[in-house]
Amino acid sequence: HNGPLSRLSVWQDQSFFVSGSHDGTCKVWETHQILDSAGELCSSLTYDGHSSANSTQRFRSRINDISIVENSHSVASGDSNGVVHVWRVDTFAKNYAAAVDYKGLSTKTSGVSGCTMLRKVDPCEG
């Protein structure tokens, strides 16, 4: 992010979390990176739908809130202009050697492959 964080939300299975910032972006992070990193985390995906929609404005809208839709990979993010975006994080299953369960067996985890815009709601829509 290029601005202060305003929100953080974690998936039910705790495999991912999403951060929102005053720079108008949302970033998706894979929690398995915490175990693998030497202290520096890299996001798996940047959703900039809020900032690109407002690129002609002098001031970019900031992310005010983020909510992960239960039992899905969908995220609702709201900005300072009152616009709500609902977008899905596209994932894929992968074997991850560092993901080991309590019996010492490797487990399958998900990885982020992209995102898909599902709906944009402007304030004038009510």
Side-chain angles (χ1 to χ4, degrees):
H1 290 293
N2 294 322
L5 292 181
S6 55
R7 289 288 185 253
L8 193 67
S9 190
V10 182
W11 255 265
Q12 281 178 301
D13 66 2
Q14 300 176 353
S15 58
F16 304 100
F17 61 96
V18 180
S19 58
S21 172
H22 284 202
D23 66 6
T25 64
C26 299
K27 291 187 180 264
V28 178
W29 309 80
E30 297 180 58
T31 52
H32 73 78
Q33 290 182 5
I34 295 169
L35 298 173
D36 296 342
S37 76
E40 185 174 328
L41 297 177
C42 294
S43 64
S44 301
L45 173 76
T46 299
Y47 177 76
D48 63 355
H50 290 278
S51 59
S52 63
N54 299 308
S55 60
T56 58
Q57 295 178 359
R58 181 176 168 163
F59 299 104
R60 289 186 175 185
S61 58
R62 67 182 183 278
I63 302 301
N64 285 345
D65 207 357
I66 295 174
S67 181
I68 296 172
V69 180
E70 214 172 308
N71 297 318
S72 75
H73 286 134
S74 296
V75 178
S77 52
D79 68 24
S80 56
N81 291 328
V83 178
V84 175
H85 289 206
V86 180
W87 46 283
R88 183 180 62 233
V89 176
D90 302 322
T91 61
F92 62 96
K94 64 180 178 179
N95 286 322
Y96 184 64
V100 177
D101 67 10
Y102 69 97
K103 295 179 183 177
L105 303 172
S106 65
T107 59
K108 286 187 175 182
T109 61
S110 296
V112 174
S113 62
C115 70
T116 306
M117 169 65 117
L118 300 176
R119 178 95 164 93
K120 176 183 172 185
V121 181
D122 288 312
C124 59
E125 290 183 50

